[in-house]
């Protein structure tokens, strides 16, 4: 059967994508950020999955305020890089896995989680920046990402947004869905976004190192309790955009220990501030 072997957590700062695309990765400002992913690139090559289930939030490219799904799963065979106002990123299209995506959609909906099925959409930096950080930069024309990707978009932009608890429980449903899929597949689940940051208002530029590090500690050791943190704490302590961290709880809920298995192994942990005006967090957990 298919199985989830690891979960990856990372920020998806748009300026990171710009630094990659413009060849600025060795500049003094950016070098410490990208050094934190050197291990991860090597790890990914060694632990290369058959499919990545990638949780991210759309930034008004596939969706807008006209239509805002809380949870949307991409079931297409191909997803083009989105034009976010200055042209698409110079990266290859994302190849999907329609069979597994359709199976997960069916299973999760039957498990009482309502999903929006998306058969055509472009994917923005929320999805492509994590791929670049973990996989490197394939040639946009001749190259390809190393494996199929199932995009899973979560509304953390327009309130009401899903609770951390709901996201954590959804991760458990996704794990059940994957494990009920017949073909033998190695699946990784990635949670992206965050960490602490605020992009507007009187607190623009807010970064809370202590809260971020405590979040990482709790994500590893006490995810169930962490999932009960209310929205107002995220906003108060991590800024208005810190709410993106609930998406990490989807990935964490899909790990084996949440269902009585062994505690995951921490393969890598990294934290750096700032990257643009955001705290960058990164974690790799392996099922044992």
């Amino acid at each position: 059967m298919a199985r989830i072997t690891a979960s990856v957590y990372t920020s998806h700062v748009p300026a990171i994508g710009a630094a990659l695309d413009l060849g600025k990765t060795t500049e003094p400002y950016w070098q410490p950020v990208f050094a934190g992913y050197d291990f991860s690139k090597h790890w990914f090559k060694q632990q290369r999955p058959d499919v990545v289930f990638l949780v991210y939030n759309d930034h008004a490219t596939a969706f807008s305020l006209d239509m805002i799904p809380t949870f949307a799963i991409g079931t297409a065979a191909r997803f083009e890089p989105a034009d976010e106002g200055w042209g698409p990123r110079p990266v290859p299209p994302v190849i999907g896995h329609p069979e597994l995506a359709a199976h997960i959609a069916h299973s999760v909906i039957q498990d009482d989680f309502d999903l929006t099925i998306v058969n055509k959409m472009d994917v923005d930096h929320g999805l492509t920046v994590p791929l670049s950080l973990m996989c490197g930069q394939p040639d946009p024309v001749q190259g390809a990402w190393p494996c199929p990707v199932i995009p899973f978009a979560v509304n953390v932009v327009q309130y009401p947004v899903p609770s951390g608890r709901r996201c954590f429980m959804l991760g458990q449903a996704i794990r059940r869905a994957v494990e009920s899929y017949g073909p033998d597949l190695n699946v990784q689940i990635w949670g992206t976004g965050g960490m602490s940051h605020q992009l507007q208002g009187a607190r623009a530029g807010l970064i809370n190192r202590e809260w971020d590090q405590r979040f990482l500690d709790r994500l590893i050791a006490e995810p169930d309790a962490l999932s009960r943190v209310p929205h107002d704490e995220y906003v108060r302590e991590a800024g208005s955009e810190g709410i993106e961290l609930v998406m990490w709880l989807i990935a964490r809920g899909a790990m084996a220990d949440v269902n009585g298995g062994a505690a995951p192994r921490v393969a890598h942990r990294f934290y750096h501030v700032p990257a643009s005006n955001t705290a960058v967090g990164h974690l790799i957990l392996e099922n044992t």
Side-chain angles (χ1 to χ4, degrees), residues 53-229:
F53 187 95
L54 202 154
V55 183
Y56 74 109
N57 64 287
D58 177 74
H59 300 80
T61 54
F63 309 112
S64 71
L65 295 183
D66 293 335
M67 179 182 66
I68 311 170
T70 301
F71 301 116
I73 186 168
T75 55
R78 179 184 175 102
F79 305 90
E80 297 294 335
D83 184 345
E84 299 182 61
W86 48 87
R89 287 194 63 217
V91 294
V94 172
I95 302 304
H97 197 297
E99 297 81 10
L100 179 58
H103 173 84
I104 291 172
H106 177 85
S107 177
V108 167
I109 290 171
Q110 291 299 309
D111 211 356
D112 298 332
F113 286 88
D114 296 328
L115 304 184
T116 298
I117 310 301
V118 186
N119 294 314
K120 179 179 173 57
M121 68 174 175
D122 293 344
V123 290
D124 66 19
H125 73 268
L127 185 137
T128 62
V129 166
L131 286 174
S132 292
L133 286 169
M134 294 294 297
C135 309
Q137 288 279 86
D139 182 271
V141 178
Q142 301 297 327
W145 299 112
C147 67
V149 176
I150 297 174
F152 191 85
V154 180
N155 170 38
V156 289
V157 175
Q158 176 68 43
Y159 276 82
V161 303
S163 68
R165 188 67 183 164
R166 186 69 170 164
C167 289
F168 188 62
M169 294 169 64
L170 175 57
Q172 296 172 57
I174 291 167
R175 177 192 54 75
R176 291 190 292 268
V178 170
E179 292 180 351
S180 67
Y181 187 67
D184 184 19
L185 291 178
N186 173 354
V187 180
Q188 290 178 8
I189 183 167
W190 297 8
T192 74
M195 293 187 86
S196 63
H197 63 301
Q198 179 152 330
L199 302 179
Q200 71 289 308
R203 298 198 306 163
L206 179 148
I207 290 176
N208 188 337
R209 297 171 184 251
E210 293 75 20
W211 194 90
D212 286 342
Q213 293 286 12
R214 177 61 178 154
F215 182 93
L216 291 170
D217 291 340
R218 298 185 74 191
L219 188 71
I220 295 166
E222 48 182 53
D224 183 83
L226 179 63
S227 74
R228 301 173 192 273
V229 170

Side-chain angles (χ1 to χ4, degrees), residues 197-272:
H197 63 301
Q198 179 152 330
L199 302 179
Q200 71 289 308
R203 298 198 306 163
L206 179 148
I207 290 176
N208 188 337
R209 297 171 184 251
E210 293 75 20
W211 194 90
D212 286 342
Q213 293 286 12
R214 177 61 178 154
F215 182 93
L216 291 170
D217 291 340
R218 298 185 74 191
L219 188 71
I220 295 166
E222 48 182 53
D224 183 83
L226 179 63
S227 74
R228 301 173 192 273
V229 170
H231 283 166
D232 58 358
E233 179 174 333
Y234 285 95
V235 175
R236 182 181 67 248
E237 301 295 337
S240 55
E241 279 69 43
I243 193 62
E244 290 179 351
L245 286 167
V246 298
M247 296 188 291
W248 293 29
L249 289 164
I250 296 177
R252 188 63 181 89
M255 294 297 284
D257 64 315
V258 176
N259 191 45
R265 186 180 82 87
V266 179
H268 184 54
R269 177 171 173 169
F270 171 69
Y271 182 80
H272 177 81

